[in-house]
Amino acid sequence: MHRNWLFRGIIVCLVVVAGVFAYAGIVHLLTGSQPSEALGDSISEVVGDSINSADEGSILDLFGKGVPLTGFSDQNENAALREYAVRVIELVNEERIKAGFEALAESDLLYGAASVRAAELETLFSHNRPDGSLCFTVFGDFNVSCKARAENIAAGHKSPEIVVEAWMKSEGHRKNILNPAYGNIGVGVFQDAAGKLCWVQLFSD
């Protein structure tokens, strides 16, 4: 009889422990573990030498304040996103001039390519494209000819000021922004159905 009660006690304890772990797992799923803002690793490439360099480390969580774009018609939203892209370039050139480098010229081709890449980040937040190819294949899609190129990506940052500040605080992204080898830039901004903004900077010589 004593053994039966002992056995039943052990079973009850195991059930309670399992319940605690299950509850913790459910809470974790409900609260979520994804960062609201993220920077991907920066990437650059010297085309002739096939040299790729990426910032070491995993996705960085960076939080800031800002007002997301909501309540716009498609036309107004596109205009607002375009203004965001132009503002990013202004801020980047301010940083370059402060560092003693020449301002970057906006390229219509790079703007088109960056806009495509920004939309792709909704599907895959990576320097690889949804089809598995490297991000730099988008340069060929837009007939961009260059010897050196780079990409910076980010998601969730709510304003140009916030995303540029985040890039400037990251060594690899900062190197791309301040690299004197680059003379051209294109910035793409995409807003998903939930209102999250995806940002892409493309650079070329």
Side-chain angles (χ1 to χ4, degrees):
M1 179 69 69
H2 178 73
R3 289 182 178 179
N4 288 340
W5 280 107
L6 179 61
F7 179 74
R8 290 177 182 176
I10 292 173
I11 295 297
V12 169
C13 289
L14 291 175
V15 170
V16 170
V17 171
V20 169
F21 278 105
Y23 174 78
I26 291 171
V27 170
H28 176 72
L29 289 174
L30 290 176
T31 57
S33 59
Q34 295 298 319
S36 63
E37 298 181 5
L39 291 181
D41 296 337
S42 64
I43 186 169
S44 61
E45 179 183 64
V46 179
V47 178
D49 297 331
S50 298
I51 297 174
N52 294 302
S53 64
D55 225 2
E56 295 181 357
S58 58
I59 292 175
L60 304 176
D61 300 348
L62 293 169
F63 300 91
K65 298 178 180 179
V67 180
L69 302 176
T70 57
F72 288 98
S73 67
D74 289 343
Q75 183 177 356
N76 289 337
E77 179 181 315
N78 290 337
L81 294 177
R82 178 68 178 127
E83 289 180 6
Y84 269 20
V86 170
R87 180 59 179 155
V88 167
I89 295 173
E90 291 175 350
L91 293 169
V92 163
N93 281 333
E94 287 176 10
E95 295 292 345
R96 287 178 65 90
I97 291 170
K98 283 194 299 185
F101 301 118
E102 292 184 2
L104 298 171
E106 182 180 12
S107 162
D108 289 339
L109 293 179
L110 288 181
Y111 166 69
S115 296
V116 168
R117 285 290 298 131
E120 290 178 346
L121 294 186
E122 180 186 21
T123 302
L124 180 64
F125 186 72
S126 169
H127 291 297
N128 288 326
R129 304 180 69 184
D131 65 3
S133 63
L134 192 61
C135 61
F136 295 126
T137 59
V138 78
F139 283 72
D141 294 345
F142 284 81
N143 297 316
V144 177
S145 178
C146 57
K147 293 183 179 180
R149 53 199 179 184
E151 176 181 83
N152 285 345
I153 62 175
H157 301 76
K158 297 176 181 178
S159 74
E161 289 76 12
I162 292 172
V163 73
V164 171
E165 180 182 6
W167 276 326
M168 289 299 293
K169 289 180 178 178
S170 169
E171 181 180 356
H173 300 88
R174 180 186 176 91
K175 283 182 179 178
N176 283 341
I177 289 172
L178 299 182
N179 192 330
Y182 302 132
N184 301 292
I185 186 174
V187 175
V189 188
F190 176 80
Q191 186 176 37
D192 67 16
K196 183 179 74 174
L197 296 174
C198 297
W199 308 79
V200 172
Q201 291 178 320
L202 292 179
F203 304 89
S204 71
D205 55 4

